[in-house]
Amino acid sequence: ATRGLTRRGGGTRPTRAFHTRVGSVTKTFTGTLILQLVDEGKLRLDETIDRWFPTFPNASGITVYQLGTMASGIASYTLDAAVASRYFASPTSPWTPMQLIDAAAGLPSVFAPGNGFQYSNSNFVMLGQIVERITGQSFAAALRQRILRPLGLDDTSYPSGTAVPSRTLHGYTTQGSANGDVVDATRWSPTFASSAGQMISTLDDLRVWTRAVGRGALLKAATQR
C-alpha cells in the first residue's frame, strides 16, 4: 500500500512505482554478490581480508565472513567526527569507497575480530570493493549483470550522482543540523554509503527482491542455508 504525499507540504500521491532511496537494503544485494562469488569458487568466507586490504589494521585476522556478519570489530567510518562533519557540510559532494575505508582504518577497533557484534557500514563498503576486485567490474556493473538483469529489477539502480528519477519519494533528516531542523536529503550524495547503502528502488522491485533473497533464487542451496 502507499499513503501520504511524495514530499512534505505538497507533492503528489505516490504509487508503488515511485522510486525511493533504499539505504541499507543495499547490504542484502552486496551480501548476495559475495555469496555468488563463493558459489563460483572465487573466494571463501573464511579467507582473511589482507588479500584485498594488506595495509588495513589487523587485516590478517579479519575474515570475509566477519565483515558480512558485522563481527569484524571494524568501526563505522560514520563515527569519525571529521568525516561526518565534512559530509554534513557538503552533503552533495561525492566520496570514493577508499576514502570511507581509509577513514575506518584510522579508527580504533571496537573489539577483537569474532568477539562481538556492531553494525558498521565499513564492513559492507569493504565487501563491495572485494566484489570489484574479484570480478574486475565496477560494483554497479556487477550488480546489474548478476542480480538486476536476471531478476528483471528494471527500476532498481546504483546511482553515483545526486539525481533521482522524476517519480521519487523525498526523504528527510535532522542529521547534521545544529538546531534540529528537518531538511530534505533526497539529493544528498549516495556515495557516502557506497555498497552499504547507495541504491534506489521501488516497492514493486523490492517485493521481487525480497522473495529472491528469502528463497535463495541466485545461490546454491547450501550457500543459502
Side-chain angles (χ1 to χ4, degrees):
T2 59
R3 294 181 177 88
L5 300 172
T6 55
R7 58 183 173 84
R8 296 182 85 206
T12 58
R13 190 171 299 278
T15 69
R16 296 198 314 268
F18 273 66
H19 294 79
T20 183
R21 296 197 186 280
V22 298
S24 287
V25 174
T26 301
K27 292 180 175 69
T28 62
F29 290 85
T30 304
T32 297
L33 289 172
I34 287 289
L35 292 176
Q36 287 179 331
L37 295 174
V38 170
D39 277 345
E40 295 166 16
K42 295 177 180 176
L43 83 160
R44 302 187 320 274
L45 291 179
D46 62 359
E47 275 189 88
T48 54
I49 64 171
D50 52 333
R51 172 179 166 187
W52 304 279
F53 308 103
T55 63
F56 195 90
N58 202 25
S60 62
I62 299 170
T63 66
V64 174
Y65 181 81
Q66 288 165 346
L67 291 181
T69 57
M70 302 292 189
S72 68
I74 298 172
S76 182
Y77 58 85
T78 55
L79 299 177
D80 185 316
V83 167
S85 295
R86 177 183 162 193
Y87 173 55
F88 291 127
S90 182
T92 60
S93 296
W95 294 74
T96 67
M98 287 312 302
Q99 285 178 306
L100 307 177
I101 292 170
D102 288 344
L107 296 170
S109 297
V110 182
F111 48 76
N115 286 275
F117 171 91
Q118 185 173 66
Y119 192 93
S120 169
N121 282 339
S122 305
N123 291 305
F124 275 75
V125 176
M126 296 175 82
L127 288 175
Q129 286 301 286
I130 291 173
V131 169
E132 289 196 351
R133 295 176 194 188
I134 290 178
T135 64
Q137 298 175 290
S138 68
F139 184 85
L143 181 67
R144 284 193 301 271
Q145 177 183 326
R146 292 170 167 271
I147 297 179
L148 304 186
R149 287 175 185 162
L151 293 179
L153 303 181
D154 297 330
D155 290 315
T156 302
S157 61
Y158 188 80
S160 58
T162 59
V164 293
S166 58
R167 297 189 301 172
T168 294
L169 293 159
H170 286 236
Y172 299 85
T173 187
T174 59
Q175 288 183 296
S177 173
N179 53 12
D181 289 341
V182 176
V183 295
D184 188 331
T186 308
R187 292 183 180 273
W188 287 13
S189 177
T191 59
F192 190 65
S194 188
S195 47
Q198 194 166 322
M199 295 177 69
I200 285 178
S201 192
T202 64
L203 191 60
D204 280 343
D205 268 16
L206 289 183
R207 181 186 179 97
V208 174
W209 173 237
T210 300
R211 289 175 168 173
V213 171
R215 296 169 179 169
L218 300 177
L219 301 172
K220 293 179 179 178
T223 307
Q224 171 70 359
R225 287 195 296 272

PDB file of all heavy atoms in Angstrom, residues 115-140:
ATOM      1  N   ASN A 115      34.649 -11.414  18.180  1.00  0.00           N
ATOM      2  CA  ASN A 115      34.327 -11.367  19.599  1.00  0.00           C
ATOM      3  C   ASN A 115      33.256 -10.334  19.930  1.00  0.00           C
ATOM      4  O   ASN A 115      33.270  -9.728  21.009  1.00  0.00           O
ATOM      5  CB  ASN A 115      35.591 -11.073  20.416  1.00  0.00           C
ATOM      6  CG  ASN A 115      36.506 -12.271  20.501  1.00  0.00           C
ATOM      7  OD1 ASN A 115      36.339 -13.133  21.352  1.00  0.00           O
ATOM      8  ND2 ASN A 115      37.465 -12.349  19.597  1.00  0.00           N
ATOM      9  N   GLY A 116      32.335 -10.130  19.017  1.00  0.00           N
ATOM     10  CA  GLY A 116      31.263  -9.188  19.280  1.00  0.00           C
ATOM     11  C   GLY A 116      30.466  -8.914  18.030  1.00  0.00           C
ATOM     12  O   GLY A 116      30.678  -9.538  16.979  1.00  0.00           O
ATOM     13  N   PHE A 117      29.554  -7.986  18.146  1.00  0.00           N
ATOM     14  CA  PHE A 117      28.724  -7.562  17.021  1.00  0.00           C
ATOM     15  C   PHE A 117      28.569  -6.049  17.104  1.00  0.00           C
ATOM     16  O   PHE A 117      28.235  -5.513  18.168  1.00  0.00           O
ATOM     17  CB  PHE A 117      27.339  -8.210  17.079  1.00  0.00           C
ATOM     18  CG  PHE A 117      26.364  -7.654  16.060  1.00  0.00           C
ATOM     19  CD1 PHE A 117      26.245  -8.219  14.808  1.00  0.00           C
ATOM     20  CD2 PHE A 117      25.585  -6.539  16.360  1.00  0.00           C
ATOM     21  CE1 PHE A 117      25.358  -7.700  13.864  1.00  0.00           C
ATOM     22  CE2 PHE A 117      24.702  -6.008  15.420  1.00  0.00           C
ATOM     23  CZ  PHE A 117      24.595  -6.593  14.181  1.00  0.00           C
ATOM     24  N   GLN A 118      28.834  -5.370  16.016  1.00  0.00           N
ATOM     25  CA  GLN A 118      28.482  -3.963  15.913  1.00  0.00           C
ATOM     26  C   GLN A 118      28.183  -3.632  14.460  1.00  0.00           C
ATOM     27  O   GLN A 118      28.986  -3.903  13.573  1.00  0.00           O
ATOM     28  CB  GLN A 118      29.567  -3.031  16.429  1.00  0.00           C
ATOM     29  CG  GLN A 118      29.089  -1.573  16.416  1.00  0.00           C
ATOM     30  CD  GLN A 118      30.056  -0.624  17.079  1.00  0.00           C
ATOM     31  OE1 GLN A 118      31.154  -0.421  16.585  1.00  0.00           O
ATOM     32  NE2 GLN A 118      29.637  -0.041  18.188  1.00  0.00           N
ATOM     33  N   TYR A 119      27.010  -3.046  14.266  1.00  0.00           N
ATOM     34  CA  TYR A 119      26.597  -2.663  12.920  1.00  0.00           C
ATOM     35  C   TYR A 119      27.532  -1.565  12.416  1.00  0.00           C
ATOM     36  O   TYR A 119      27.652  -0.510  13.026  1.00  0.00           O
ATOM     37  CB  TYR A 119      25.157  -2.144  12.967  1.00  0.00           C
ATOM     38  CG  TYR A 119      24.502  -1.990  11.632  1.00  0.00           C
ATOM     39  CD1 TYR A 119      23.740  -3.019  11.085  1.00  0.00           C
ATOM     40  CD2 TYR A 119      24.617  -0.811  10.920  1.00  0.00           C
ATOM     41  CE1 TYR A 119      23.118  -2.876   9.853  1.00  0.00           C
ATOM     42  CE2 TYR A 119      23.996  -0.659   9.687  1.00  0.00           C
ATOM     43  CZ  TYR A 119      23.244  -1.687   9.170  1.00  0.00           C
ATOM     44  OH  TYR A 119      22.632  -1.540   7.949  1.00  0.00           O
ATOM     45  N   SER A 120      28.191  -1.834  11.300  1.00  0.00           N
ATOM     46  CA  SER A 120      29.195  -0.904  10.776  1.00  0.00           C
ATOM     47  C   SER A 120      29.122  -0.873   9.259  1.00  0.00           C
ATOM     48  O   SER A 120      29.308  -1.903   8.598  1.00  0.00           O
ATOM     49  CB  SER A 120      30.594  -1.345  11.227  1.00  0.00           C
ATOM     50  OG  SER A 120      31.597  -0.624  10.539  1.00  0.00           O
ATOM     51  N   ASN A 121      28.872   0.307   8.707  1.00  0.00           N
ATOM     52  CA  ASN A 121      28.848   0.443   7.249  1.00  0.00           C
ATOM     53  C   ASN A 121      30.180   0.086   6.617  1.00  0.00           C
ATOM     54  O   ASN A 121      30.233  -0.349   5.463  1.00  0.00           O
ATOM     55  CB  ASN A 121      28.463   1.872   6.863  1.00  0.00           C
ATOM     56  CG  ASN A 121      26.977   2.129   6.983  1.00  0.00           C
ATOM     57  OD1 ASN A 121      26.175   1.217   6.975  1.00  0.00           O
ATOM     58  ND2 ASN A 121      26.613   3.391   7.100  1.00  0.00           N
ATOM     59  N   SER A 122      31.256   0.264   7.364  1.00  0.00           N
ATOM     60  CA  SER A 122      32.591  -0.007   6.818  1.00  0.00           C
ATOM     61  C   SER A 122      32.691  -1.432   6.282  1.00  0.00           C
ATOM     62  O   SER A 122      33.320  -1.680   5.243  1.00  0.00           O
ATOM     63  CB  SER A 122      33.654   0.205   7.901  1.00  0.00           C
ATOM     64  OG  SER A 122      33.559   1.480   8.463  1.00  0.00           O
ATOM     65  N   ASN A 123      32.078  -2.381   6.985  1.00  0.00           N
ATOM     66  CA  ASN A 123      32.150  -3.777   6.572  1.00  0.00           C
ATOM     67  C   ASN A 123      31.638  -3.979   5.150  1.00  0.00           C
ATOM     68  O   ASN A 123      32.254  -4.680   4.342  1.00  0.00           O
ATOM     69  CB  ASN A 123      31.316  -4.642   7.529  1.00  0.00           C
ATOM     70  CG  ASN A 123      31.914  -4.748   8.907  1.00  0.00           C
ATOM     71  OD1 ASN A 123      33.059  -5.139   9.082  1.00  0.00           O
ATOM     72  ND2 ASN A 123      31.124  -4.392   9.908  1.00  0.00           N
ATOM     73  N   PHE A 124      30.495  -3.359   4.842  1.00  0.00           N
ATOM     74  CA  PHE A 124      29.879  -3.615   3.537  1.00  0.00           C
ATOM     75  C   PHE A 124      30.463  -2.744   2.431  1.00  0.00           C
ATOM     76  O   PHE A 124      30.369  -3.099   1.253  1.00  0.00           O
ATOM     77  CB  PHE A 124      28.359  -3.492   3.642  1.00  0.00           C
ATOM     78  CG  PHE A 124      27.738  -4.790   4.103  1.00  0.00           C
ATOM     79  CD1 PHE A 124      27.830  -5.177   5.420  1.00  0.00           C
ATOM     80  CD2 PHE A 124      27.121  -5.630   3.201  1.00  0.00           C
ATOM     81  CE1 PHE A 124      27.297  -6.381   5.849  1.00  0.00           C
ATOM     82  CE2 PHE A 124      26.581  -6.842   3.608  1.00  0.00           C
ATOM     83  CZ  PHE A 124      26.670  -7.224   4.948  1.00  0.00           C
ATOM     84  N   VAL A 125      31.099  -1.637   2.776  1.00  0.00           N
ATOM     85  CA  VAL A 125      31.879  -0.905   1.779  1.00  0.00           C
ATOM     86  C   VAL A 125      33.072  -1.765   1.360  1.00  0.00           C
ATOM     87  O   VAL A 125      33.406  -1.872   0.168  1.00  0.00           O
ATOM     88  CB  VAL A 125      32.349   0.453   2.318  1.00  0.00           C
ATOM     89  CG1 VAL A 125      33.242   1.156   1.297  1.00  0.00           C
ATOM     90  CG2 VAL A 125      31.157   1.346   2.660  1.00  0.00           C
ATOM     91  N   MET A 126      33.689  -2.426   2.333  1.00  0.00           N
ATOM     92  CA  MET A 126      34.824  -3.298   2.029  1.00  0.00           C
ATOM     93  C   MET A 126      34.382  -4.511   1.220  1.00  0.00           C
ATOM     94  O   MET A 126      35.066  -4.922   0.277  1.00  0.00           O
ATOM     95  CB  MET A 126      35.511  -3.715   3.333  1.00  0.00           C
ATOM     96  CG  MET A 126      36.109  -2.525   4.074  1.00  0.00           C
ATOM     97  SD  MET A 126      36.814  -2.922   5.682  1.00  0.00           S
ATOM     98  CE  MET A 126      38.429  -3.543   5.185  1.00  0.00           C
ATOM     99  N   LEU A 127      33.225  -5.076   1.537  1.00  0.00           N
ATOM    100  CA  LEU A 127      32.716  -6.197   0.741  1.00  0.00           C
ATOM    101  C   LEU A 127      32.464  -5.770  -0.702  1.00  0.00           C
ATOM    102  O   LEU A 127      32.732  -6.531  -1.639  1.00  0.00           O
ATOM    103  CB  LEU A 127      31.428  -6.743   1.358  1.00  0.00           C
ATOM    104  CG  LEU A 127      31.571  -7.519   2.668  1.00  0.00           C
ATOM    105  CD1 LEU A 127      30.202  -7.883   3.228  1.00  0.00           C
ATOM    106  CD2 LEU A 127      32.424  -8.773   2.493  1.00  0.00           C
ATOM    107  N   GLY A 128      31.968  -4.553  -0.889  1.00  0.00           N
ATOM    108  CA  GLY A 128      31.757  -4.047  -2.241  1.00  0.00           C
ATOM    109  C   GLY A 128      33.051  -3.947  -3.024  1.00  0.00           C
ATOM    110  O   GLY A 128      33.092  -4.246  -4.229  1.00  0.00           O
ATOM    111  N   GLN A 129      34.114  -3.542  -2.345  1.00  0.00           N
ATOM    112  CA  GLN A 129      35.415  -3.461  -3.015  1.00  0.00           C
ATOM    113  C   GLN A 129      35.963  -4.844  -3.337  1.00  0.00           C
ATOM    114  O   GLN A 129      36.629  -5.040  -4.356  1.00  0.00           O
ATOM    115  CB  GLN A 129      36.396  -2.684  -2.137  1.00  0.00           C
ATOM    116  CG  GLN A 129      36.133  -1.196  -2.103  1.00  0.00           C
ATOM    117  CD  GLN A 129      36.192  -0.579  -3.483  1.00  0.00           C
ATOM    118  OE1 GLN A 129      37.267  -0.418  -4.053  1.00  0.00           O
ATOM    119  NE2 GLN A 129      35.031  -0.249  -4.055  1.00  0.00           N
ATOM    120  N   ILE A 130      35.678  -5.814  -2.490  1.00  0.00           N
ATOM    121  CA  ILE A 130      36.082  -7.190  -2.786  1.00  0.00           C
ATOM    122  C   ILE A 130      35.369  -7.671  -4.051  1.00  0.00           C
ATOM    123  O   ILE A 130      35.976  -8.315  -4.916  1.00  0.00           O
ATOM    124  CB  ILE A 130      35.785  -8.108  -1.585  1.00  0.00           C
ATOM    125  CG1 ILE A 130      36.728  -7.760  -0.429  1.00  0.00           C
ATOM    126  CG2 ILE A 130      35.936  -9.578  -1.970  1.00  0.00           C
ATOM    127  CD1 ILE A 130      36.414  -8.480   0.876  1.00  0.00           C
ATOM    128  N   VAL A 131      34.077  -7.357  -4.177  1.00  0.00           N
ATOM    129  CA  VAL A 131      33.339  -7.714  -5.389  1.00  0.00           C
ATOM    130  C   VAL A 131      34.010  -7.113  -6.619  1.00  0.00           C
ATOM    131  O   VAL A 131      34.212  -7.796  -7.636  1.00  0.00           O
ATOM    132  CB  VAL A 131      31.873  -7.230  -5.295  1.00  0.00           C
ATOM    133  CG1 VAL A 131      31.173  -7.349  -6.655  1.00  0.00           C
ATOM    134  CG2 VAL A 131      31.111  -8.015  -4.238  1.00  0.00           C
ATOM    135  N   GLU A 132      34.369  -5.846  -6.538  1.00  0.00           N
ATOM    136  CA  GLU A 132      35.006  -5.190  -7.685  1.00  0.00           C
ATOM    137  C   GLU A 132      36.331  -5.844  -8.043  1.00  0.00           C
ATOM    138  O   GLU A 132      36.636  -6.068  -9.228  1.00  0.00           O
ATOM    139  CB  GLU A 132      35.226  -3.712  -7.386  1.00  0.00           C
ATOM    140  CG  GLU A 132      33.953  -2.898  -7.366  1.00  0.00           C
ATOM    141  CD  GLU A 132      34.194  -1.407  -7.463  1.00  0.00           C
ATOM    142  OE1 GLU A 132      35.372  -0.974  -7.374  1.00  0.00           O
ATOM    143  OE2 GLU A 132      33.220  -0.659  -7.638  1.00  0.00           O
ATOM    144  N   ARG A 133      37.136  -6.143  -7.044  1.00  0.00           N
ATOM    145  CA  ARG A 133      38.480  -6.651  -7.314  1.00  0.00           C
ATOM    146  C   ARG A 133      38.458  -8.081  -7.836  1.00  0.00           C
ATOM    147  O   ARG A 133      39.316  -8.471  -8.632  1.00  0.00           O
ATOM    148  CB  ARG A 133      39.328  -6.513  -6.054  1.00  0.00           C
ATOM    149  CG  ARG A 133      39.528  -5.047  -5.688  1.00  0.00           C
ATOM    150  CD  ARG A 133      40.290  -4.847  -4.400  1.00  0.00           C
ATOM    151  NE  ARG A 133      40.158  -3.454  -3.941  1.00  0.00           N
ATOM    152  CZ  ARG A 133      40.843  -2.939  -2.929  1.00  0.00           C
ATOM    153  NH1 ARG A 133      41.707  -3.687  -2.269  1.00  0.00           N
ATOM    154  NH2 ARG A 133      40.659  -1.685  -2.587  1.00  0.00           N
ATOM    155  N   ILE A 134      37.480  -8.866  -7.428  1.00  0.00           N
ATOM    156  CA  ILE A 134      37.394 -10.239  -7.917  1.00  0.00           C
ATOM    157  C   ILE A 134      36.773 -10.286  -9.309  1.00  0.00           C
ATOM    158  O   ILE A 134      37.243 -11.017 -10.185  1.00  0.00           O
ATOM    159  CB  ILE A 134      36.588 -11.108  -6.932  1.00  0.00           C
ATOM    160  CG1 ILE A 134      37.390 -11.324  -5.652  1.00  0.00           C
ATOM    161  CG2 ILE A 134      36.247 -12.465  -7.568  1.00  0.00           C
ATOM    162  CD1 ILE A 134      36.664 -12.125  -4.593  1.00  0.00           C
ATOM    163  N   THR A 135      35.721  -9.504  -9.528  1.00  0.00           N
ATOM    164  CA  THR A 135      35.041  -9.558 -10.833  1.00  0.00           C
ATOM    165  C   THR A 135      35.732  -8.729 -11.904  1.00  0.00           C
ATOM    166  O   THR A 135      35.529  -8.957 -13.097  1.00  0.00           O
ATOM    167  CB  THR A 135      33.593  -9.056 -10.709  1.00  0.00           C
ATOM    168  OG1 THR A 135      33.606  -7.671 -10.322  1.00  0.00           O
ATOM    169  CG2 THR A 135      32.815  -9.876  -9.690  1.00  0.00           C
ATOM    170  N   GLY A 136      36.545  -7.743 -11.493  1.00  0.00           N
ATOM    171  CA  GLY A 136      37.140  -6.840 -12.459  1.00  0.00           C
ATOM    172  C   GLY A 136      36.140  -5.855 -13.027  1.00  0.00           C
ATOM    173  O   GLY A 136      36.408  -5.193 -14.037  1.00  0.00           O
ATOM    174  N   GLN A 137      34.983  -5.735 -12.388  1.00  0.00           N
ATOM    175  CA  GLN A 137      33.942  -4.807 -12.818  1.00  0.00           C
ATOM    176  C   GLN A 137      33.701  -3.759 -11.736  1.00  0.00           C
ATOM    177  O   GLN A 137      34.071  -3.949 -10.576  1.00  0.00           O
ATOM    178  CB  GLN A 137      32.620  -5.553 -13.039  1.00  0.00           C
ATOM    179  CG  GLN A 137      32.638  -6.612 -14.110  1.00  0.00           C
ATOM    180  CD  GLN A 137      31.306  -7.352 -14.144  1.00  0.00           C
ATOM    181  OE1 GLN A 137      30.981  -8.104 -13.240  1.00  0.00           O
ATOM    182  NE2 GLN A 137      30.531  -7.132 -15.196  1.00  0.00           N
ATOM    183  N   SER A 138      33.061  -2.673 -12.126  1.00  0.00           N
ATOM    184  CA  SER A 138      32.566  -1.762 -11.120  1.00  0.00           C
ATOM    185  C   SER A 138      31.472  -2.470 -10.329  1.00  0.00           C
ATOM    186  O   SER A 138      30.853  -3.425 -10.813  1.00  0.00           O
ATOM    187  CB  SER A 138      31.999  -0.490 -11.764  1.00  0.00           C
ATOM    188  OG  SER A 138      30.817  -0.795 -12.489  1.00  0.00           O
ATOM    189  N   PHE A 139      31.227  -2.002  -9.109  1.00  0.00           N
ATOM    190  CA  PHE A 139      30.167  -2.613  -8.315  1.00  0.00           C
ATOM    191  C   PHE A 139      28.834  -2.499  -9.050  1.00  0.00           C
ATOM    192  O   PHE A 139      28.046  -3.456  -9.080  1.00  0.00           O
ATOM    193  CB  PHE A 139      30.081  -1.947  -6.938  1.00  0.00           C
ATOM    194  CG  PHE A 139      29.083  -2.589  -6.030  1.00  0.00           C
ATOM    195  CD1 PHE A 139      29.422  -3.695  -5.273  1.00  0.00           C
ATOM    196  CD2 PHE A 139      27.790  -2.089  -5.948  1.00  0.00           C
ATOM    197  CE1 PHE A 139      28.490  -4.315  -4.448  1.00  0.00           C
ATOM    198  CE2 PHE A 139      26.845  -2.696  -5.120  1.00  0.00           C
ATOM    199  CZ  PHE A 139      27.206  -3.812  -4.363  1.00  0.00           C
ATOM    200  N   ALA A 140      28.573  -1.344  -9.651  1.00  0.00           N
ATOM    201  CA  ALA A 140      27.313  -1.137 -10.369  1.00  0.00           C
ATOM    202  C   ALA A 140      27.159  -2.131 -11.509  1.00  0.00           C
ATOM    203  O   ALA A 140      26.067  -2.679 -11.735  1.00  0.00           O
ATOM    204  CB  ALA A 140      27.240   0.298 -10.893  1.00  0.00           C
TER     205      ALA A 140
END
